[in-house]
């Protein structure tokens, strides 16, 4: 609690021909992984917004109410900006439209058939994933080195910063409306299984359409780099597992300095993408 969550009016552009086929460090597996995640983000963000809005009238704390407003503003912008990238990726041959439709059907069904608290617990779990991935990107130079200069790098760094800023909001809302520890942990691991399964299938479908997938040497070297990256480190899995502790809270890992640093790098007086903000 106590952190201002700002909605930034920001816009990214991807002119035709500005992205290489394997636009993440010329790497097959990483480019497809980022594309699958980007394809799932718009409907994923929409689900999170619905889940928080469904219980917003139960929140009494004015500070948390303000943070919810910031959370919704940031997630809405993420959804819009990833749709812009996804359109360009679709034109390049990535199946982002297919993944978007599948994600929408799954999450709309979850909203329709699950309780408001279940959906909120799922949102808190998904926010735990995204915050860990975001803070790994922002804090590990090896992860940063995987991104080329350009608009996709700028988008991912901005998204990572805002995920780090609002990482505790859904969790705090879940606690505020009486969500239980038992449901929180059950939903986390059920979501982990479901998300991992769907992400694997989507990645395979995406790779299947890429001719480089059929080059065994290139494919296996690329996959080895992916699983050797900071995103699959023991530190990441330890943080994921910490969610199962009864006394867990997202803010137990202090990211204050990390947020201040990247606010300055991206949006300071000489900020890398200050000119993207309107």
């Amino acid at each position: 609690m106590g952190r201002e969550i700002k909605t930034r009016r920001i816009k990214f552009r991807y002119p035709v021909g500005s992205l290489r086929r394997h636009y993440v460090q010329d790497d097959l597996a990483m480019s497809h992984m980022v594309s699958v995640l980007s394809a799932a983000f718009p409907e994923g963000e929409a689900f999170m917004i619905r889940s928080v809005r469904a219980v917003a009238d139960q929140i009494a704390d004015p500070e948390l109410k303000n943070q919810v407003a910031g959370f919704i503003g940031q997630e809405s912008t993420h959804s819009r900006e990833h749709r812009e990238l996804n359109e360009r990726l679709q034109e390049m041959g990535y199946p982002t439209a297919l993944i978007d439709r599948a994600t929408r059907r799954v999450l709309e069904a979850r909203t329709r058939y699950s309780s408001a608290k279940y959906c909120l617990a799922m949102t808190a779990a998904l926010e735990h994933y995204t915050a860990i991935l975001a803070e790994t990107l922002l804090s590990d130079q090896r992860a940063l080195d995987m991104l080329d200069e350009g608009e996709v790098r700028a988008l991912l760094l901005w998204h990572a910063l805002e995920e780090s800023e609002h990482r505790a909001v859904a969790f705090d809302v879940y606690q505020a409306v009486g969500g239980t520890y038992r449901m929180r942990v059950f939903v986390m691991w059920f979501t982990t299984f479901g998300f991992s399964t769907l992400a694997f299938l989507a990645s395979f479908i995406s790779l299947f359409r890429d001719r480089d997938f059929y080059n065994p040497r290139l494919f296996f070297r690329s996959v080895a780099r992916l699983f050797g990256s900071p995103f699959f480190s023991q530190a990441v899995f330890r943080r994921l597992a910490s969610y199962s502790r009864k006394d867990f809270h997202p803010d137990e890992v202090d990211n204050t300095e990390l947020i201040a640093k990247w606010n300055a790098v991206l949006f300071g007086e000489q900020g890398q993408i200050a000119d993207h903000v309107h």
Side-chain angles (χ1 to χ4, degrees), residues 113-157:
Y113 297 115
S114 298
S115 69
K117 279 186 183 176
Y118 187 102
C119 291
L120 190 55
M122 189 170 163
T123 295
L126 292 169
E127 285 292 296
H128 185 55
Y129 297 136
T130 55
I132 292 172
L133 293 176
E135 289 171 16
T136 300
L137 175 61
L138 296 177
S139 62
D140 194 310
Q141 188 59 47
R142 294 172 300 156
L144 288 168
D145 289 343
M146 297 177 79
L147 299 179
D148 295 334
E149 297 299 326
E151 206 74 339
V152 173
R153 177 189 177 94
L155 169 77
L156 294 177
L157 291 176

Side-chain angles (χ1 to χ4, degrees), residues 184-237:
R184 170 166 70 82
V185 173
F186 169 78
V187 172
M188 173 58 164
W189 296 115
F190 187 80
T191 301
T192 298
F193 174 77
F195 177 78
S196 300
T197 301
L198 292 174
F200 175 80
L201 290 173
S203 297
F204 183 79
I205 290 168
S206 187
L207 284 162
F208 188 76
R209 296 158 58 112
D210 192 317
R211 64 185 180 186
D212 287 338
F213 172 67
Y214 301 95
N215 181 330
R217 184 180 177 187
L218 189 156
F219 173 70
F220 286 112
R221 286 176 61 187
S222 178
V223 169
R225 281 196 298 271
L226 173 63
F227 285 102
S229 75
F231 300 105
F232 289 90
S233 67
Q234 289 186 2
V236 164
F237 288 111

Side-chain angles (χ1 to χ4, degrees), residues 12 16 40 51 57 70 75-76 110 147 159-160 189 225 227 238 241 270 276:
F12 297 90
V16 175
S51 300
D57 60 348
E75 296 289 44
S76 298
R110 177 59 67 192
L147 299 179
H159 192 163
W189 296 115
R225 281 196 298 271
F227 285 102
R238 280 197 299 270
Q270 302 296 323
H276 288 51

Side-chain angles (χ1 to χ4, degrees), residues 214-267:
Y214 301 95
N215 181 330
R217 184 180 177 187
L218 189 156
F219 173 70
F220 286 112
R221 286 176 61 187
S222 178
V223 169
R225 281 196 298 271
L226 173 63
F227 285 102
S229 75
F231 300 105
F232 289 90
S233 67
Q234 289 186 2
V236 164
F237 288 111
R238 280 197 299 270
R239 278 193 70 182
L240 284 171
S242 69
Y243 196 85
S244 292
R245 293 197 339 264
K246 197 163 189 176
D247 63 346
F248 168 81
H249 190 276
D251 286 341
E252 67 186 26
V253 175
D254 185 8
N255 66 0
T256 307
E257 290 185 7
L258 189 68
I259 287 174
K261 170 189 171 181
W262 282 99
N263 259 305
V265 169
L266 297 178
F267 301 111

